[in-house]
Amino acid sequence: MQLLQSRRENNRPKRWLKIGLLIGAGALGVGAWMSWDVVHPRYLRWKQQRALEQAKRFMDARDPANAQLALEVALKTIPGDPDTIRLAADMLEQVNSPQAMRLRRSVVQRLPHSSEDAARLVLCCLRFNDFNAAKDALSATPPAVASELPMLRAALAFAVATNNSPVADYLLDQLRAQSPDDRALRHAQALLWLRHPQEEPRSQARRDLEELARQTPALALQIQRELAGDALQRRDYARLKEHQQKILADPGVTFPDRLQKANVDLLVDQKPFETIFDQLAPEAVKSAADATQFVQWLLVQSRAALADNW
């Protein structure tokens, strides 16, 4: 009897040790689980931010393939995050990628009551000349959102782009009442006057646009493109060349801008094709999209053999 009691007493410390180890292991498990809940989201946010920074560096280096891969990593790290999708769309717009429209639409689907995002979608569609997509975006906007200032501006941009003067005039009146000193409204109004059937309002519109380009650097490149298109339509080649020189001097110049200048050099000034090719080729290799456009341009110029060799 004493022997059994002695054995029980000897086993008690071991039993308590086992219980203590089990409790400790459980506490460690709970702690690790709680720690994972805190650390994992932070890790994902860090990974996402790092991918976005890499995408920006690749875009600055005109490396669209790697930039696209980095953006995909950022979007998949935290799927459906509107802020990340919006930022990715901003980056794609900077490099003139139409894929930005898909991302803008995704943001609007997640934030249907955001007038800023709805307006960005419309303007993005207009930027890439997808007027049907812009119209669909306007039609799908809830009435309460459509009446907000960002969407009124987007609707005005659509009316101007589609030459719907009655609607544009109506929207201008509404917007002037809310923002009388808005330069974007001055820009829209000048574009309407630029399509006026009489020359006097058109001349005034050109002067207004030139002044606005000087006052608002953010609009300067877009305005110079609009004035260049107007000069080309009027066959005012001297003014066209002036506007194109300003476009080429702008830091935001794109390869299509250079192709437009090349067309004028060929057709108007009749410069040697070889000289123009030597100017364009080093610019075309900076991105896959530019290279594709360059090959298409060579084909239009009936230079298929040169396009194959290049």
Side-chain angles (χ1 to χ4, degrees), residues 179-232:
S179 305
D181 299 324
D182 193 330
R183 290 182 178 179
L185 296 184
R186 289 174 54 195
H187 181 207
Q189 185 173 34
L191 289 179
L192 282 177
W193 287 352
L194 198 60
R195 299 178 177 89
H196 199 280
Q198 298 178 4
E199 177 56 31
E200 183 177 350
R202 291 200 299 269
S203 297
Q204 182 61 48
R206 294 183 198 109
R207 290 192 292 271
D208 290 345
L209 287 170
E210 290 279 15
E211 181 182 359
L212 192 58
R214 289 191 295 270
Q215 294 175 347
T216 316
L219 292 174
L221 180 58
Q222 181 181 350
I223 289 174
Q224 293 302 331
R225 287 169 176 158
E226 292 158 349
L227 289 172
D230 173 69
L232 179 62

Side-chain angles (χ1 to χ4, degrees), residues 12-143:
R12 280 177 187 171
K14 294 180 180 179
R15 189 180 303 120
W16 284 111
L17 179 61
K18 288 180 181 179
I19 294 172
L21 288 173
L22 288 173
I23 293 173
L28 285 174
V30 172
W33 176 73
M34 294 179 66
S35 175
W36 177 255
D37 274 0
V38 174
V39 173
H40 186 57
R42 292 180 181 177
Y43 165 73
L44 291 179
R45 184 64 66 180
W46 170 83
K47 182 180 178 181
Q48 183 185 73
Q49 188 61 36
R50 182 170 175 271
L52 290 172
E53 291 172 357
Q54 287 178 333
K56 188 176 186 308
R57 285 198 297 270
F58 285 132
M59 286 178 179
D60 291 341
R62 302 298 293 270
D63 186 351
N66 282 323
Q68 180 68 29
L69 289 174
L71 282 176
E72 288 178 1
V73 171
L75 293 171
K76 291 178 180 177
T77 300
I78 305 179
D81 179 39
D83 292 335
T84 304
I85 300 172
R86 188 186 300 113
L87 183 57
D90 291 342
M91 290 183 178
L92 290 175
E93 279 195 19
Q94 289 173 11
V95 295
N96 295 308
S97 172
Q99 293 185 33
M101 290 187 289
R102 176 177 59 84
L103 296 183
R104 295 281 185 212
R105 192 174 295 110
S106 178
V107 175
V108 171
Q109 289 170 350
R110 287 168 171 78
L111 302 173
H113 300 294
S114 170
S115 60
E116 288 286 351
D117 289 305
R120 286 175 182 172
L121 172 59
V122 174
L123 296 176
C124 183
C125 295
L126 293 177
R127 175 173 182 160
F128 296 105
N129 297 318
D130 194 336
F131 299 110
N132 288 331
K135 182 179 179 181
D136 291 342
L138 285 168
S139 302
T141 306

Side-chain angles (χ1 to χ4, degrees), residues 235-290:
R235 298 185 180 181
D236 186 345
Y237 298 122
R239 293 291 293 168
L240 171 60
K241 293 175 186 177
E242 290 179 14
H243 295 307
Q244 287 187 328
Q245 288 300 328
K246 292 178 181 179
I247 291 171
L248 294 180
D250 193 285
V253 63
T254 63
F255 190 68
D257 292 325
R258 299 185 189 278
L259 290 179
Q260 291 291 341
K261 176 67 164 56
N263 290 333
V264 173
D265 290 341
L266 279 174
L267 300 175
V268 178
D269 294 339
Q270 298 184 346
K271 291 184 179 180
F273 180 85
E274 293 73 16
T275 302
I276 296 171
F277 177 85
D278 291 341
Q279 293 173 348
L280 289 174
E283 299 293 333
V285 298
K286 292 182 178 179
S287 80
D290 292 348

